[in-house]
Amino acid sequence: PRRAAIHLAVATGYLAALALTVSANPYRASILEWAHRGVMTVGAIVVGSTIARHQRTRFALRSLLVVAAAVALVAIADTIASGFGPAYPFGLHKNFAGAMLAMCSIVCIAAPNAIGLIRPLPTLLFALFTAGLLATQSRASLVGVAAALAVVGFRRGGRSPVRVLTFAATLIGLIAVSVASLRAATSGANNTQFNSIRSREAVYRA
């Protein structure tokens, strides 16, 4: 309960900070977006705290991984069918799907004991989620997993040189794919006013 109260206090501070922007731009869409973020942030904390308080964390994590496995498989199939373009599994935006798969990848590699599965399964799920993440081509999520791998690798590095090399190779591969995806989006036939970088520039200018 104390930890949940701290989380709720942080969420309240987050919403208060957003309220400053909304007060400067008091449009209906801004107010609805503020409320939407409040439900997403505070709601997630309440749900997570409830799950932990009732000691259902393992069940919740396993349920999440089952859903993520389905998303990863569909993402892989989607990118293959589209000629290795960004995947939109089940109609989910690639960045949303990428963030979810990245989170599940990190759970499998950083806290396999929390899932409670037999030894090879977390590693196999990590490989599946990473493949699905690569299919989405969500660059921010790729960098996030690479950063998590670096942290986990440093924490466990002294135990196994082979593990360090595996982590390092995966990390370098994820960063390389992210850079290659960024270059592809900003060069050649993809270098149009509608690519991901130029679209963001237009939004920031607005």
Side-chain angles (χ1 to χ4, degrees), residues 58 106-119 122-123 156:
R58 180 167 291 182
I106 293 169
V107 168
C108 288
I109 205 69
N113 293 334
I115 309 169
L117 299 176
I118 58 176
R119 190 62 178 268
T123 303
R156 302 178 181 175

Side-chain angles (χ1 to χ4, degrees), residues 32 104 160:
L32 289 176
C104 291
S160 170

Side-chain angles (χ1 to χ4, degrees), residues 126-147:
F126 172 78
L128 174 62
F129 297 149
T130 303
L133 173 57
L134 291 170
T136 65
Q137 298 182 26
S138 177
R139 290 184 290 271
S141 298
L142 285 168
V143 172
V145 172

Side-chain angles (χ1 to χ4, degrees), residues 81-187:
S82 65
F84 297 99
Y88 292 82
F90 298 111
L92 299 172
H93 191 277
K94 71 183 187 70
N95 290 333
F96 175 82
M100 181 180 70
L101 293 173
M103 178 179 63
C104 291
S105 297
I106 293 169
V107 168
C108 288
I109 205 69
N113 293 334
I115 309 169
L117 299 176
I118 58 176
R119 190 62 178 268
L121 281 179
T123 303
L124 293 175
L125 286 173
F126 172 78
L128 174 62
F129 297 149
T130 303
L133 173 57
L134 291 170
T136 65
Q137 298 182 26
S138 177
R139 290 184 290 271
S141 298
L142 285 168
V143 172
V145 172
L149 281 174
V151 172
V152 174
F154 278 118
R155 289 182 60 189
R156 302 178 181 175
R159 302 180 188 178
S160 170
V162 175
R163 178 176 291 175
V164 173
L165 292 175
T166 302
F167 274 45
T170 306
L171 188 153
I172 293 170
L174 290 173
I175 294 176
V177 170
S178 181
V179 171
S181 174
L182 181 61
R183 287 183 175 179
T186 56
S187 63

Side-chain angles (χ1 to χ4, degrees), residues 34-113:
W34 180 83
H36 176 231
R37 293 194 181 198
V39 171
M40 289 180 64
T41 306
V42 180
I45 292 173
V46 170
V47 170
S49 299
T50 303
I51 289 172
R53 187 166 62 251
H54 290 281
Q55 299 182 347
R56 301 293 288 173
T57 305
R58 180 167 291 182
F59 173 78
L61 285 175
R62 288 179 176 179
S63 301
L64 174 63
L65 296 184
V66 168
V67 173
V71 171
L73 290 171
V74 173
I76 294 168
D78 188 24
T79 193
I80 293 173
S82 65
F84 297 99
Y88 292 82
F90 298 111
L92 299 172
H93 191 277
K94 71 183 187 70
N95 290 333
F96 175 82
M100 181 180 70
L101 293 173
M103 178 179 63
C104 291
S105 297
I106 293 169
V107 168
C108 288
I109 205 69
N113 293 334

